[in-house]
Amino acid sequence: MGAQLRVYKRRIRSVTATKKITKAMEMIAASRIVKAQRKVAASTPYATELTRAVTAVATGSNTKHPLTTEADNPARAAVLLITSDRGLAGGYSSNAIKAADRLTERLRGEGKEVDTYIVGRKGVAYYGFRERKVADSWTGFTDSPEYADAKKVAAPLIEAVQTDTAEGGVDELHIVFTEFVSMMTQNPVDNRMLPLSLQEAAQETGAKGEILPLFDFEPSAEDVLDALLPRYVESRIYNALLQAAASEHAARRRAMKSATDNAGELINTLSRLANAARQAEITQEISEIVGGSSALADATAGSDK
């Protein structure tokens, strides 16, 4: 019985140590969510105004450009998947990967080849384990992405868009990331970045039905779109990285809170079992003392006779 009690006490110490770790991780994640939300709020106006500028240029000119013009027969698409570098975030990365798999299946069903680009070690490990081809990947900055990281990710994607499909380029550019809705809700979404749909852009910027001003373009509308293309892609990727980072921290905080609560319940259960084992041990010791005392009394009584 004593051995069983020692086992319970050892497990209680182990679970208590784990609870302290998960509680600390929960608090760290909670503190990082606020910073990530601020970055998302700060980056959104720039991305919105840049999209509005692209919409104005595309509406005010008849220039055919990869930024706004759809290919007649799109044959190839690029998909950028954003996951996390670290685990312990519940189903955050797996949900994004599933969304990317659904998008890839849909694009292939439309007869398009798909080139996959991945941000985050979890996505890289998932594709590597299944021996799936990845066009390019980046890791090490999903917790706190900077604009320089977005530029690094955007560079090969912009090059692919500007390259002819016969030479390995793409006709469409899609991005899959986890949108931060609230502390409790984060939704994996897939958005088409290029070519830009003017109707969707108007809805996104709140300019639906708005009459855009007329512009004169110097040196030309095509040159303006060429200059706006990298900035547009970079800003959209940066905003998606920030949203994904906020979602990752929120998912990790929720997962660690659940782990902390479960550890507390397990400690209570083990404490009850330990108390029951200790009570049974005490009862057994009392029974042995009473039995020994009775046997001694009977032996004494027999010797007196």
Side-chain angles (χ1 to χ4, degrees):
M1 190 64 69
Q4 186 178 12
L5 183 59
R6 286 194 297 272
V7 169
Y8 287 137
K9 288 183 177 180
R10 186 165 57 248
R11 290 190 62 189
I12 290 173
R13 288 194 298 270
S14 175
V15 176
T16 301
T18 302
K19 181 181 178 181
K20 291 179 180 179
I21 295 173
T22 56
K23 183 64 177 179
M25 295 183 67
E26 176 191 347
M27 296 175 66
I28 292 171
S31 67
R32 290 179 176 175
I33 293 173
V34 178
K35 296 179 182 178
Q37 284 180 290
R38 289 174 182 170
K39 287 186 176 182
V40 171
S43 71
T44 300
Y46 175 76
T48 301
E49 289 304 319
L50 192 56
T51 303
R52 186 189 295 267
V54 172
T55 304
V57 177
T59 304
S61 68
N62 295 323
T63 302
K64 290 187 177 181
H65 192 273
L67 186 57
T68 57
T69 305
E70 295 194 24
D72 295 331
N73 295 302
R76 199 177 192 91
V79 175
L80 174 62
L81 167 63
I82 299 177
T83 62
S84 66
D85 284 323
R86 299 187 295 122
L88 301 177
Y92 166 76
S93 292
S94 62
N95 290 336
I97 291 171
K98 290 176 183 177
D101 286 344
R102 290 193 295 268
L103 173 61
T104 300
E105 290 178 5
R106 177 166 61 83
L107 292 174
R108 287 175 177 165
E110 296 171 358
K112 302 170 186 173
E113 296 183 30
V114 178
D115 292 339
T116 304
Y117 298 78
I118 301 178
V119 174
R121 291 190 178 92
K122 290 298 179 181
V124 173
Y126 178 88
Y127 276 69
F129 181 76
R130 287 158 181 79
E131 298 182 350
R132 297 183 183 179
K133 185 179 178 181
V134 176
D136 206 345
S137 62
W138 304 266
T139 60
F141 54 80
T142 60
D143 276 355
S144 182
E146 301 294 339
Y147 195 80
D149 299 319
K151 292 184 67 174
K152 182 170 59 177
V153 173
L157 295 172
I158 295 171
E159 182 180 355
V161 170
Q162 294 176 330
T163 304
D164 189 84
T165 52
E167 300 176 0
V170 298
D171 298 310
E172 297 178 359
L173 176 56
H174 300 259
I175 183 169
V176 179
F177 66 99
T178 305
E179 182 182 29
F180 182 85
V181 179
S182 66
M183 295 286 284
M184 298 301 298
T185 305
Q186 301 87 42
N187 297 324
V189 296
D190 62 89
N191 293 335
R192 192 182 76 173
M193 284 196 292
L194 294 176
L196 176 66
S197 171
L198 298 183
Q199 183 178 1
E200 293 178 1
Q203 292 177 350
E204 179 182 338
T205 59
K208 187 177 181 180
E210 177 183 344
I211 299 176
L212 297 172
L214 297 176
F215 293 96
D216 290 329
F217 305 109
E218 291 290 344
S220 67
E222 185 175 1
D223 291 332
V224 173
L225 287 173
D226 285 339
L228 289 176
L229 173 61
R231 290 171 175 78
Y232 169 76
V233 175
E234 290 166 5
S235 67
R236 291 294 296 270
I237 291 176
Y238 182 52
N239 187 264
L241 287 172
L242 292 176
Q243 295 237 25
S247 300
E248 178 185 347
H249 295 316
R252 183 168 290 112
R253 186 201 68 83
R254 190 168 62 250
M256 291 300 97
K257 185 179 186 306
S258 177
T260 301
D261 294 341
N262 290 339
E265 294 178 3
L266 182 57
I267 289 172
N268 292 335
T269 300
L270 291 173
S271 297
R272 286 194 296 268
L273 293 173
N275 291 336
R278 184 167 55 250
Q279 187 66 40
E281 184 177 352
I282 293 171
T283 302
Q284 182 178 353
E285 290 176 354
I286 293 174
S287 299
E288 290 174 354
I289 293 171
V290 172
S293 177
S294 299
L296 182 60
D298 292 341
T300 304
S303 63
D304 290 341
K305 292 178 182 180

